[in-house]
Amino acid sequence: IPGVYLLTQNIGTGSYCLNITTSHVLVDCQGFNITYGGYSPGNGVDFQGGVGNITIKNCHFFQNISLAGEGNIGVSISASASSNNTFFNNTFYTQTDKGTIFLRTVNNTNISWNTFRHQCGAFSQNTSVFDIQDMYNGYIDNNVINTTCEGQSTGAISYTLSSYAQQNMSLRGNIINTTGTSSIALALTGFTSGSVIQDNRITMYGNKSTVMSLKTSTDIQIRSNIYQATHPDVSSGIQLNFGPGGFSVNNSLFDNNI
């Protein structure tokens, strides 16, 4: 039923925790916990049937790995074919190689002022904190993202494009720290006109790591970011045309500190 839902205690389950089946819902955890997964594949909050106008705020998400196996790992929030959503002031604690937020074909989504603590485990899913495919008018701003995962498919944000020609994406004011070997903090494929990457502070602690990889990306602005590498074997700051079949044209870089 559409409406406002306030948590008054911690909630948890061995599978899916909250299934949202209608639009126009606000979930305010008021600082309480959502613990999900462990017995079977399950997400903390799962958007079902293309619902939209959903707000999730003030929640602490915990991934239950006590009984987790390779096929039992869920994500904190999963949404597909959804619009007009807000994830605000949440804290996410994930302890496996599965990512935290999984988005497919979403519009007008704002993910801001959240904290992510992503520490990979022994499984082989190897996904980033944000696993995004197709996002139009998206805002990922003013978040703190800490990840210790390793490998090129891991890092803070992984974005791939299938259909939209104009993303109008905003990545602004985020603090990103990555520790894993050979990781890529921002792996972006298909970013196009209207997208801005600005005022982010990205620190790479692992060797052979890359701050940003742009593939098949056009007409975007990258400005006033600070990139720092603490390991002497960090591979690169900004990498263009990473991988086969890639191209990056008409992009603008201003006042970045690498």
Side-chain angles (χ1 to χ4, degrees):
I1 299 175
V4 177
Y5 295 83
L6 305 178
L7 262 64
T8 57
Q9 62 183 25
N10 298 329
I11 60 174
T13 178
S15 183
Y16 290 91
C17 199
L18 294 179
N19 292 327
I20 298 180
T21 59
T22 187
S23 298
H24 307 288
V25 168
L26 186 152
V27 177
D28 186 349
C29 293
Q30 302 189 109
F32 289 102
N33 302 340
I34 295 177
T35 304
Y36 60 94
Y39 293 99
S40 63
N43 302 321
V45 177
D46 195 77
F47 292 23
Q48 299 188 346
V51 299
N53 291 289
I54 309 298
T55 296
I56 309 294
K57 68 178 186 178
N58 302 324
C59 301
H60 297 291
F61 287 88
F62 288 89
Q63 211 173 36
N64 177 11
I65 63 170
S66 60
L67 296 175
E70 184 74 27
N72 295 342
I73 307 169
V75 297
S76 297
I77 299 175
S78 176
S80 298
S82 183
S83 301
N84 303 315
N85 304 304
T86 299
F87 310 146
F88 174 78
N89 195 39
N90 302 289
T91 303
F92 301 86
Y93 302 88
T94 49
Q95 306 174 66
T96 71
D97 299 349
K98 194 67 174 286
T100 305
I101 293 181
F102 179 88
L103 302 175
R104 290 291 183 269
T105 318
V106 295
N107 302 327
N108 302 317
T109 294
N110 190 317
I111 306 172
S112 299
W113 300 103
N114 302 283
T115 299
F116 299 85
R117 301 176 183 176
H118 184 53
Q119 181 174 356
C120 282
F123 305 114
S124 61
Q125 303 258 355
N126 292 328
T127 55
S128 297
V129 175
F130 291 84
D131 185 358
I132 302 171
Q133 181 175 331
D134 278 355
M135 190 175 186
Y136 183 76
N137 285 341
Y139 303 88
I140 302 176
D141 299 334
N142 301 304
N143 300 285
V144 177
I145 306 171
N146 299 304
T147 174
T148 63
C149 297
E150 299 184 357
Q152 292 181 354
S153 59
T154 66
I157 300 172
S158 174
Y159 179 93
T160 57
L161 165 72
S162 287
S163 60
Y164 294 128
Q166 306 284 331
Q167 273 74 60
N168 294 319
M169 287 287 297
S170 169
L171 297 177
R172 303 175 192 247
N174 299 287
I175 299 173
I176 300 172
N177 302 299
T178 69
T179 306
T181 301
S182 300
S183 62
I184 301 174
L186 302 178
L188 310 175
T189 300
F191 253 39
T192 60
S193 300
S195 295
V196 179
I197 303 170
Q198 181 173 334
D199 296 325
N200 300 285
R201 180 184 292 269
I202 303 175
T203 304
M204 311 292 294
Y205 294 95
N207 66 320
K208 300 180 181 179
S209 298
T210 300
V211 171
M212 185 186 308
S213 169
L214 294 176
K215 179 181 177 183
T216 321
S217 297
T218 60
D219 298 314
I220 66 174
Q221 294 188 26
I222 304 170
R223 61 171 64 236
S224 302
N225 300 284
I226 298 175
Y227 311 125
Q228 180 180 7
T230 63
H231 198 284
D233 294 329
V234 168
S235 62
S236 58
I238 299 176
Q239 196 170 56
L240 302 179
N241 301 334
F242 182 73
F247 63 87
S248 295
V249 298
N250 297 329
N251 301 303
S252 301
L253 282 74
F254 302 99
D255 301 322
N256 296 283
N257 187 346
I258 300 177

